[in-house]
Amino acid sequence: MKKNKLTGAEIIWECLIREGVDVVFGYPGGAILPTYDALSKYKDNIHHVLTRHEQGATHMADGYARTSGKVGVAMATSGPGAANMVTGLATAMMDSVPIICITGQVPRPAIGSDAFQEMDISGAVIPVTKHSYLVMDIKNLAQTIKEAFAIARSGRPGPVLIDIPKDVQSEEYDFIYPKEPVKLPGKNPLDREIDKKSLGDAADLIATAKRPVILAGHGILLSGASKEVIELSEKGDIPLSWTLLGSGAVPASHDLNMGMMGMHGEFAANNAIQKADLLIACGMRFDDRVTGNTKTYSLDSKKIHIEIDPSEINKNVPVDVALVGDLKLVLKKLIPILKDQQNTDWINEIEKWKKESQSRDIINADTQMLYGAQVISDIWKETNGDAIVVSDVGQHQMLEAQYYKHDEPNTLLTSGGLGTMGFSLPAAIGASFYNRNKDIWVIVGDGSIQMTITELATAVQENANIKIAIINNGYLGMVRQWQQLFYDSRYNETPISSPDYVKLSEAYGLKGIRVISRPEIPVAIEVAQNINGPVLVEFVVEQHDMVYPMVPAGADLDAMISRPVHEQFKDAEM
Amino acid sequence: MKQTLILFMQDEPGVLNRISSLVRRRNFNIESIVAGRTEINGITRMTLVVNEPNEAKRVNIYNNLKRLVDVFDVVDATKENCHVREHVLMKISLKPDEIHEIEKLVLGGNCKILDQDPKCMILEISGDESTVEENINILSKFEVLELLRSGKMAMISGDQERNKPFLTRSEP
Ligand SMILES: Cc1ncc(C[n+]2csc(CCOP(=O)(O)OP(=O)(O)O)c2C)c(N)n1
């Protein structure tokens, strides 16, 4: 008999291959076993990476997706395996990252019976996914997978979960990969002309503005609109500032780039936003970490919001002109109707603000102790600024944003929206599967690394070419900073011990280096870069260092605590 | 201000779950939700009445509902000439001398006796908001044993193009 039937498990792999997937991050278990069994047939087409925890698998898929622009795929078993994916899904959802999580489910007859390892994962993840499926009929399997990919990557990207009962995986069915393009209920909100009147209104606002500022967000990267944003900035002589996830969207070295905005943003940038008469928000969503107190946020400015997701318009900050659409397409229509402009006075004022803190910065000081800022600044220099950096969450994340000057898009991967500690190591492993020939640096705190340190084993197993810089300050530093500023320095539960990272590296089978003074930094970096594979470098830094500038949560954006002048520069200042 | 939204969505298991999850997550102030089948096979229709004073948030609710993959379309009936009806069942305890009074009320309007025994009676009220409220109010002077409200259903009058939902599919 001619065999044209495939099992559900085989259909899964066939569909993944047709979607262009060549690497899957996952962890097996009972309910997904038929799919892992079928993997033998597809080993030439798909590389499966066995992670050490399902959360790691989701962050790997996420890191892979963020650098490649492709959809990342993670796989897990039912119940506990699926539950471990929730953090990764929420992380991807908040940062609009297209990943697909495939989970096994208990067999259909057992669903609803509290069977062993049963959990309603497709229901549980509703709030943290773009969509979720439970495939109850093998007839729908191929179509569902195809739909899931289309949903994950279209419009504002995001994660999708597909839950597949074990008996659907082992059932047989004729495999026909659906040819027709995916169609979803309703009208695509982007399937219409960009509103002419709004374009005109935006152009008018830009033409009359004297103190305009561009707010550069993650949408620039998702839309691939860096070139257009730079054009807008140069044509209108408009200074710009970026959100954490917009880092690299516009070269840090560009003259009109004021640096990051928000809670730990640059003084010049926040000041300019507050004093502006026009804000042009490009693919950003006025998150509370960038606005500070919305009641006093940039009160004198008109606001233009260019955004793909209509539900973001007027959500946090009311705007005057909304241009809903893909940023690149909108800018391609907007730029030609703009006139060349010059905002010399405004730019000069900003230049003055910019100069204020730079030269007196800690990175220029000759200190006994090592500081996080120095480490990151030196990594930036030693890597010629063209590494891919994956940062974790905390003080080191903010220092990375301030001191690693990204000139290229998609070279910083970080969990911005959810702020998920433990993101960086697995995300970097994921990214390494796309960037075989690029240096990948993980910048991570001693707290964050210990959240997902198990993935060191995965890094070694895959010989992932990643360099892990642990900024060890002996504290959950960012929380300690808040305790120092707002809770009278009562450091409850923020001192945190670490294993001996050099010995630990040895035990895991990778090289470990410890650095305690500044002159050692370039040496360590060179050693690390010359090894093809994972290397861990621990930087032992000043324990009570702070990240400045800082806008306290909920305060006005220009009520900043500035970067203090370092001791060494105090006399010179006087 | 009350906002009346009519949703058209795929009749899929879990779709109600998605709506209620959204309402909870975005902290929307919902007055009533009613859903049921329609003239089209596979499409569920829902009337959602939202009590949200903030205009921007009302727009946000609309946009967030539209963002759900299973939702075909959302029609905002708030400013349209539209019939909003609710159905109420009420069980009241009766003293013999009150029966007469109730019968008068029933004859007077939108109220119907469904069931009667010596001690209590079930009444059915249906109509627009003011009728329903008014009748409940009047009947509240008796001893209410049970009260059950269906929630509001809305239908826009006429057959205007702008109120027609988009019920087909498109490429994302
Ligand atoms: C999973 C998770 N738990 C808790 C937090 C709260 N949190 C934010 S920053 C931080 C401290 C991070 O410490 P570390 O990784 O050592 O970095 P540092 O701030 O010292 O640079 C904590 C606990 C979080 N963001 N994520």
Side-chain angles (χ1 to χ4, degrees):
Chain A
M1 202 185 83
K2 201 179 92 199
K3 191 166 181 251
N4 54 2
K5 287 193 186 302
L6 293 185
T7 64
E10 290 165 339
I11 292 176
I12 294 173
W13 293 114
E14 294 280 348
C15 288
L16 292 181
I17 291 165
R18 282 174 180 71
E19 292 294 338
V21 176
D22 52 17
V23 57
V24 169
F25 307 93
Y27 207 96
I32 192 76
L33 211 44
T35 300
Y36 274 88
D37 188 46
L39 182 57
S40 338
K41 227 175 114 178
Y42 299 98
K43 282 225 154 112
D44 292 342
N45 306 76
I46 289 197
H47 177 61
H48 180 275
V49 176
L50 176 67
T51 66
R52 294 300 181 271
H53 190 290
E54 292 86 352
Q55 181 187 349
T58 55
H59 293 327
M60 287 180 208
D62 180 319
Y64 177 82
R66 288 189 207 225
T67 37
S68 66
K70 295 172 31 174
V71 178
V73 180
M75 197 174 269
T77 192
S78 65
N84 278 344
M85 292 182 133
V86 175
T87 307
L89 285 165
T91 304
M93 184 69 177
M94 285 293 252
D95 290 350
S96 310
V97 183
I99 65 170
I100 303 263
C101 288
I102 295 175
T103 49
Q105 179 57 279
V106 301
R108 281 168 293 180
I111 288 180
S113 70
D114 294 326
F116 178 63
Q117 297 197 325
E118 182 186 359
M119 175 188 169
D120 172 20
I121 191 66
S122 62
V125 300
I126 286 174
V128 294
T129 48
K130 222 178 144 181
H131 200 59
S132 60
Y133 294 93
L134 169 60
V135 183
M136 289 296 276
D137 190 337
I138 192 165
K139 281 198 214 98
N140 303 333
L141 182 57
Q143 179 64 29
T144 301
I145 296 175
K146 185 162 176 170
E147 247 178 60
F149 273 85
I151 291 170
R153 51 166 97 87
S154 64
R156 179 176 179 178
V160 179
L161 177 133
I162 314 171
D163 197 23
I164 309 170
K166 188 174 186 177
D167 57 333
V168 174
Q169 297 167 47
S170 35
E171 202 179 330
E172 289 194 343
Y173 190 67
D174 294 311
F175 173 64
I176 303 161
Y177 188 67
K179 277 196 211 69
E180 303 75 43
V182 167
K183 290 194 170 167
L184 300 173
K187 195 186 282 177
N188 181 347
L190 302 176
D191 189 17
R192 60 182 164 116
E193 280 288 296
I194 296 155
D195 186 39
K196 285 239 167 54
K197 179 173 178 310
S198 302
L199 273 175
D201 292 348
D204 289 346
L205 286 179
I206 295 171
T208 51
K210 295 272 172 294
R211 302 187 307 281
V213 172
I214 293 172
L215 309 178
H218 189 201
I220 302 174
L221 301 174
L222 292 173
S223 163
S226 290
K227 190 172 140 275
E228 286 73 20
V229 173
I230 296 168
E231 220 179 308
L232 171 69
S233 166
E234 289 175 351
K235 190 163 184 185
D237 201 20
I238 309 172
L240 54 86
S241 172
W242 36 272
T243 68
L244 177 61
L245 290 188
S247 177
V250 172
S253 54
H254 196 286
D255 281 345
L256 287 164
N257 193 335
M258 301 183 287
M260 187 165 68
M261 65 176 99
M263 183 171 273
H264 293 290
E266 295 303 320
F267 175 72
N270 285 350
N271 233 4
I273 289 168
Q274 286 301 75
K275 304 221 161 47
D277 64 357
L278 176 67
L279 297 183
I280 310 168
C282 297
M284 57 83 75
R285 59 187 175 90
F286 295 101
D287 179 85
D288 57 84
R289 283 296 186 267
V290 308
T291 60
N293 182 1
T294 46
K295 294 213 171 62
T296 58
Y297 179 70
S298 190
L299 292 179
D300 297 334
S301 64
K302 297 277 184 201
K303 294 167 188 78
I304 301 171
H305 196 177
I306 313 177
E307 167 61 45
I308 198 165
D309 179 355
S311 75
E312 289 297 349
I313 308 288
N314 291 320
K315 187 180 80 176
N316 297 337
V317 169
V319 299
D320 300 276
V321 178
L323 290 163
V324 175
D326 179 86
L327 182 64
K328 192 185 179 102
L329 300 182
V330 174
L331 288 180
K332 279 196 159 158
K333 297 237 152 141
L334 180 63
I335 291 168
I337 58 172
L338 297 179
K339 289 196 272 305
D340 283 341
Q341 259 171 274
Q342 217 80 99
N343 297 311
T344 318
D345 290 348
W346 177 228
I347 304 283
N348 287 343
E349 201 172 339
I350 289 170
E351 282 305 315
K352 253 190 294 172
W353 295 331
K354 267 200 205 168
K355 288 214 178 73
E356 242 153 61
S357 62
Q358 283 165 355
S359 56
R360 327 172 297 198
D361 201 323
I362 187 86
I363 58 166
N364 300 314
D366 184 13
T367 54
Q368 277 285 304
M369 242 343 262
L370 201 53
Y371 284 81
Q374 298 171 338
V375 173
I376 288 158
S377 182
D378 289 0
I379 293 179
W380 168 61
K381 279 185 203 136
E382 297 297 327
T383 56
N384 298 319
D386 52 32
I388 289 172
V389 182
V390 189
S391 64
D392 219 287
V393 177
Q395 290 181 317
H396 61 279
Q397 179 186 34
M398 293 298 113
L399 293 172
E400 194 288 336
Q402 296 176 353
Y403 293 101
Y404 199 105
K405 312 283 182 189
H406 292 272
D407 277 340
E408 291 293 327
N410 298 318
T411 55
L412 168 63
L413 318 183
T414 197
S415 165
L418 200 68
T420 308
M421 281 174 74
F423 172 81
S424 63
L425 174 58
I429 296 172
S432 74
F433 283 89
Y434 185 72
N435 305 280
R436 300 272 180 194
N437 302 317
K438 268 206 141 182
D439 288 327
I440 300 179
W441 276 85
V442 174
I443 307 274
V444 58
D446 46 328
S448 298
I449 188 74
Q450 292 188 73
M451 284 242 168
T452 50
I453 200 160
T454 46
E455 301 303 346
L456 281 179
T458 313
V460 172
Q461 159 196 297
E462 300 294 324
N463 198 36
N465 194 18
I466 60 172
K467 316 300 164 194
I468 305 154
I470 301 179
I471 314 294
N472 186 355
N473 55 12
Y475 277 97
L476 299 172
M478 186 56 96
V479 182
R480 190 206 59 77
Q481 171 161 347
W482 283 49
Q483 288 173 328
Q484 179 176 334
L485 293 173
F486 313 118
Y487 296 89
D488 266 336
S489 299
R490 285 182 297 275
Y491 298 148
N492 288 340
E493 302 305 317
T494 44
I496 186 168
S497 64
S498 279
D500 179 327
Y501 288 113
V502 176
K503 279 195 186 142
L504 185 84
S505 303
E506 243 169 65
Y508 269 112
L510 69 158
K511 175 147 187 77
I513 306 169
R514 180 174 298 117
V515 170
I516 56 170
S517 72
R518 200 159 186 191
E520 298 170 75
I521 298 178
V523 186
I525 292 174
E526 200 185 315
V527 172
Q529 308 242 71
N530 283 335
I531 293 171
N532 178 23
V535 178
L536 183 150
V537 190
E538 175 195 14
F539 296 90
V540 182
V541 301
E542 167 59 39
Q543 297 206 323
H544 291 108
D545 194 15
M546 304 283 275
V547 181
Y548 292 119
M550 178 173 186
V551 183
D556 303 347
L557 193 58
D558 48 1
M560 306 193 80
I561 311 171
S562 344
R563 253 185 216 115
V565 179
H566 189 263
E567 291 299 323
Q568 272 172 30
F569 307 121
K570 278 209 171 123
D571 293 343
E573 284 283 318
M574 295 295 152
Chain B
M1 191 200 157
K2 272 179 201 160
Q3 183 184 18
T4 309
L5 299 171
I6 306 173
L7 274 71
F8 297 84
M9 55 217 183
Q10 238 170 179
D11 187 8
E12 286 264 334
V15 63
L16 296 181
N17 203 352
R18 285 176 209 286
I19 306 272
S20 50
S21 165
L22 179 69
V23 165
R24 174 72 205 83
R25 180 160 76 91
R26 299 274 177 196
N27 209 7
F28 298 151
N29 216 337
I30 298 292
E31 187 179 296
S32 87
I33 294 187
V34 181
R37 267 181 266 154
T38 62
E39 76 282 7
I40 304 169
N41 201 358
I43 291 191
T44 296
R45 172 171 170 151
M46 175 184 274
T47 306
L48 195 67
V49 181
V50 188
N51 211 338
E52 179 54 63
N54 182 313
E55 162 78 31
K57 197 148 179 201
R58 287 210 300 274
V59 176
N60 194 246
I61 295 173
Y62 175 86
N63 282 327
N64 270 290
L65 289 167
K66 273 200 129 172
R67 208 165 78 147
L68 294 175
V69 171
D70 284 329
V71 170
F72 279 94
D73 206 354
V74 183
V75 176
D76 191 340
T78 313
K79 291 182 183 140
E80 300 298 330
N81 181 11
C82 149
H83 292 272
V84 182
R85 316 288 283 188
E86 189 172 14
H87 205 123
V88 178
L89 297 181
M90 220 169 165
K91 188 185 283 177
I92 52 182
S93 145
L94 287 179
K95 299 186 192 77
D97 54 323
E98 288 172 345
I99 294 182
H100 206 64
E101 211 178 320
I102 293 199
E103 276 169 355
K104 257 200 300 191
L105 269 176
V106 174
L107 290 177
N110 307 27
C111 195
K112 195 160 124 197
I113 299 173
L114 289 188
D115 185 84
Q116 192 175 349
D117 74 11
K119 283 201 183 130
C120 64
M121 122 191 315
I122 300 176
L123 291 160
E124 180 185 39
I125 309 165
S126 99
D128 60 13
E129 182 163 22
S130 61
T131 312
V132 167
E133 294 296 342
E134 198 182 315
N135 279 280
I136 293 178
N137 247 335
I138 296 172
L139 289 165
S140 294
K141 72 179 211 194
F142 305 103
E143 189 189 345
V144 178
L145 298 175
E146 288 177 50
L147 170 71
L148 173 65
R149 305 181 66 146
S150 68
K152 291 167 179 163
M153 309 200 290
M155 194 174 275
I156 298 175
S157 66
D159 192 26
Q160 272 157 314
E161 213 39 54
R162 68 163 195 278
N163 293 327
K164 292 233 171 86
F166 186 90
L167 295 181
T168 40
R169 292 160 173 269
S170 62
E171 284 180 44

